[in-house]
């Protein structure tokens, strides 16, 4: 089946790095950028060059060494920011300037003490100026999620007219319902007359836990780029998680999309990002959490041991994890215990298993998880008792 490509725009090094405590030094940013390029992302948002000399240098260095991806730098809608971004990107093979301004009533009134007309003018000026430095200019309408659709359409049309190649529709505050976000994208597709000259991008935050669902609603309704981060890190509750959208697109072929991401590297990228940033991944995190492929209840374990896909929709090897794990707890069943004994070299009979299982349950009730070492101890004491019984 012919599928349409969804561009993956990674902003781990910009929106992700804004998280308190996650700041990276130049070398750390470079290491992650090189891995993102290998992973197959289409765009790496490398930083916000005007924000600090360190970030400027990091964007500059990343621009020099990234081989395949477009390298993007963020700016506000002013000349100084745009000049800094252009300079930092000057060695990039495929540079992109990402400029924009708040478009919601709240931003216009309280952030800028301004008017819609003035914001529209500043948006167009920023894109026009950025075009002097780069062919590829992405415009973000900050807080688009809460922006009136008619005004948003007017802004999009004007910035595309000024040369924007991508229009980014951020749900900056993570407020939208997936149905509302999807409708917003459809509204732009239907009402911006030059929309075919640009790609619509989804940039969703996770304040209500809907960042991934919103991005998917966006592409179903006509967007063709998703902005996301590894492990979903980002301001406040984070951004759309890259590994989640990539695997949703892969698992749900009926959507008719593909990405160029080499999913086998997802686990490696997750670990690299979390260890470099010191931002640990919650164990129940989809795709890359420690428990994402771990089974601990007896019913599930029995199913997975018989056939993996009874309780797993993704083969762990597809995301770079060697195998599913069968965790032993007081909720585990006999087949899980037999399986784990077999893994350490003991092929137990049914009678042996019955006896061992009773010992196992007594132990399991006293601890959170029964380990491999515990299994050896159990087997050892069982064998000794057998010897005593036979003596
Ligand atoms: O969330 C947001 O609106 C942003 C923009 C700067 C793109 O991160
Ligand atoms: Zn953001």
């Amino acid at each position: 089946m012919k599928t349409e490509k969804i561009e993956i725009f990674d902003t781990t090094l910009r929106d992700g790095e804004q998280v308190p405590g996650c700041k990276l030094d130049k070398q750390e940013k470079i290491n992650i950028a090189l891995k993102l390029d290998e992973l197959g992302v289409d765009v790496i948002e490398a930083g916000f060059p005007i924000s600090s000399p360190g970030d400027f240098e990091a964007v500059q260095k990343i621009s020099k060494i990234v081989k395949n991806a477009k390298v993007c730098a963020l700016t506000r809608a002013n000349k100084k920011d745009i000049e800094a971004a252009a300079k930092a990107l000057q060695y990039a093979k495929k540079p992109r300037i990402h400029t924009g301004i708040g478009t919601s009533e709240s931003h216009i009134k309280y952030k800028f003490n301004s008017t819609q007309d003035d914001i529209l003018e500043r948006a167009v000026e920023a894109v026009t100026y950025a075009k002097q430095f780069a062919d590829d200019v992405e415009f973000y309408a900050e807080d688009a999620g809460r922006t009136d659709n008619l005004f948003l359409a007017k802004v999009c049309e004007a910035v595309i007219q000024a040369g924007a190649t991508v229009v980014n529709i951020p749900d900056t505050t993570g407020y939208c319902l997936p149905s509302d976000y999807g409708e917003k994208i459809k509204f732009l597709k239907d009402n911006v007359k030059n929309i075919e000259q640009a790609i619509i991008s989804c940039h969703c935050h996770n304040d209500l836990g809907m960042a991934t669902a919103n991005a998917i609603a966006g592409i179903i309704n006509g967007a063709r780029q998703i902005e996301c981060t590894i492990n979903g890190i980002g301001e406040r509750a984070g951004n759309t998680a890259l590994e989640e959208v990539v695997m949703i697109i892969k698992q749900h072929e009926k959507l008719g999309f593909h990405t160029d991401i080499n999913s086998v590297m997802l686990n490696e990228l997750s670990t690299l990002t979390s260890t470099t940033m010191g931002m640990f991944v919650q164990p129940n995190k989809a795709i890359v959490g420690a428990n994402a492929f771990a089974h601990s209840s007896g019913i599930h374990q029995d199913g997975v041991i018989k056939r993996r896909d009874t309780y797993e929709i993704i083969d762990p090897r597809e995301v770079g994890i060697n195998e599913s794990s069968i965790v032993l707890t007081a909720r585990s069943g006999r087949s899980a215990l037999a399986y784990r004994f077999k893994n350490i070299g003991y092929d137990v009979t049914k009678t042996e298993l019955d006896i061992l299982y009773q010992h196992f349950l007594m132990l399991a009730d006293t601890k959170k998880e029964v380990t491999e070492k515990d299994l050896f101890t159990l087997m050892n004491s069982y064998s000794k008792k057998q010897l005593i019984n036979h003596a």
Side-chain angles (χ1 to χ4, degrees):
M1 177 173 134
K2 191 163 161 14
T3 53
E4 270 194 72
K5 161 112 183 252
I6 299 297
E7 304 245 324
I8 296 295
F9 174 116
D10 181 276
T11 182
T12 306
L13 299 177
R14 199 278 298 168
D15 221 334
E17 204 240 10
Q18 286 173 210
V19 174
C22 286
K23 205 199 142 318
L24 301 174
D25 65 28
K26 192 170 90 182
Q27 192 53 48
E28 289 168 329
K29 283 189 98 166
I30 291 165
N31 295 345
I32 294 180
L34 287 173
K35 277 288 166 192
L36 288 170
D37 200 25
E38 209 183 317
L39 178 71
V41 305
D42 299 283
V43 187
I44 297 173
E45 187 165 46
F48 183 16
I50 195 86
S51 66
S52 76
D55 216 38
F56 178 93
E57 277 175 39
V59 176
Q60 197 170 49
K61 184 75 192 178
I62 290 168
S63 298
K64 284 183 185 161
I65 58 174
V66 161
K67 292 197 182 79
N68 305 308
K70 296 164 191 138
V71 180
C72 176
L74 186 80
T75 83
R76 290 163 296 187
N78 68 57
K79 288 189 171 171
K80 271 194 164 162
D81 279 31
I82 293 169
E83 283 157 15
K87 200 162 173 210
L89 290 170
Q90 69 181 315
Y91 302 110
K93 286 198 183 75
K94 296 179 233 168
R96 175 181 292 180
I97 295 178
H98 190 190
T99 189
I101 194 161
T103 51
S104 65
E105 202 187 320
S106 151
H107 280 222
I108 296 176
K109 206 163 155 185
Y110 302 115
K111 247 178 83 173
F112 301 113
N113 188 21
S114 180
T115 60
Q116 286 191 344
D117 285 348
D118 173 57
I119 294 296
L120 185 65
E121 202 178 309
R122 283 158 75 172
V124 169
E125 265 172 27
V127 171
T128 309
Y129 194 60
K131 282 297 267 193
Q132 294 184 21
F133 303 98
D135 288 337
D136 192 4
V137 174
E138 173 168 338
F139 175 80
Y140 64 86
E142 199 181 9
D143 204 16
R146 295 187 300 170
T147 299
D148 166 62
N149 282 350
L150 278 174
F151 180 58
L152 188 60
K154 201 169 165 187
V155 172
C156 288
E157 194 164 317
V159 296
I160 294 170
Q161 174 73 32
T165 45
V166 181
V167 282
N168 177 11
I169 311 301
D171 182 20
T172 305
T173 57
Y175 174 74
C176 290
L177 290 170
S179 51
D180 294 339
Y181 190 75
E183 271 169 30
K184 192 174 277 289
I185 301 298
K186 184 164 179 344
F187 184 88
L188 298 176
K189 272 295 242 192
D190 293 344
N191 292 282
V192 175
K193 66 171 187 291
N194 51 5
I195 198 70
E196 297 310 326
Q197 293 167 33
I199 291 176
I200 301 180
S201 183
C202 311
H203 179 114
C204 301
H205 279 267
N206 206 32
D207 300 65
L208 290 169
M210 295 189 288
T212 294
N214 281 343
I216 298 297
I219 58 172
I220 289 172
N221 283 282
R224 288 294 173 268
Q225 176 177 280
I226 295 179
E227 309 198 358
C228 46
T229 59
I230 300 289
N231 299 334
I233 57 161
E235 282 276 349
R236 307 180 308 280
N239 290 55
T240 300
L242 181 148
E243 61 279 3
E244 292 174 12
V245 287
V246 165
M247 292 315 290
I248 290 168
I249 290 170
K250 200 163 179 194
Q251 292 305 112
H252 286 275
E253 281 174 24
K254 63 172 184 278
L255 290 175
F257 300 128
H258 70 272
T259 70
D260 284 349
I261 298 295
N262 176 12
S263 67
V264 171
M265 287 183 67
L266 288 175
N267 191 47
E268 181 187 351
L269 260 292
S270 166
T271 309
L272 175 69
T273 305
S274 78
T275 50
T276 314
M277 291 189 164
M279 180 84 167
F280 295 101
V281 179
Q282 69 194 62
N284 59 328
K285 166 82 186 60
I287 319 293
V288 290
N291 292 348
F293 298 96
H295 306 274
S296 65
S297 90
I299 299 172
H300 290 206
Q301 290 174 328
D302 184 50
V304 170
I305 290 166
K306 286 177 178 143
R307 196 179 143 110
R308 191 193 54 73
D309 66 11
T310 51
Y311 286 94
E312 273 181 4
I313 55 158
I314 298 169
D315 183 335
R317 286 167 302 191
E318 270 188 62
V319 298
I321 294 169
N322 287 343
E323 55 178 0
S324 325
S325 52
I326 298 291
V327 182
L328 293 177
T329 72
R331 305 289 158 262
S332 300
R334 281 178 171 70
S335 53
L337 186 62
Y339 173 86
R340 289 287 303 271
F341 268 131
K342 197 166 181 189
N343 278 358
I344 58 168
Y346 295 112
D347 226 340
V348 293
T349 64
K350 186 174 173 323
T351 323
E352 286 168 334
L353 183 62
D354 284 343
I355 300 167
L356 282 165
Y357 188 62
Q358 296 316 315
H359 290 286
F360 160 77
L361 280 183
M362 278 189 286
L363 176 67
D365 264 339
T366 66
K367 30 186 350 208
K368 291 200 189 305
E369 187 183 333
V370 173
T371 63
E372 201 168 283
K373 194 163 161 239
D374 292 328
L375 292 185
F376 279 114
T377 312
L378 263 180
M379 186 52 89
N380 218 357
S381 61
Y382 169 73
S383 308
K384 277 194 191 122
K385 280 199 191 95
Q386 285 294 92
L387 285 177
I388 292 162
N389 287 345
H390 282 98

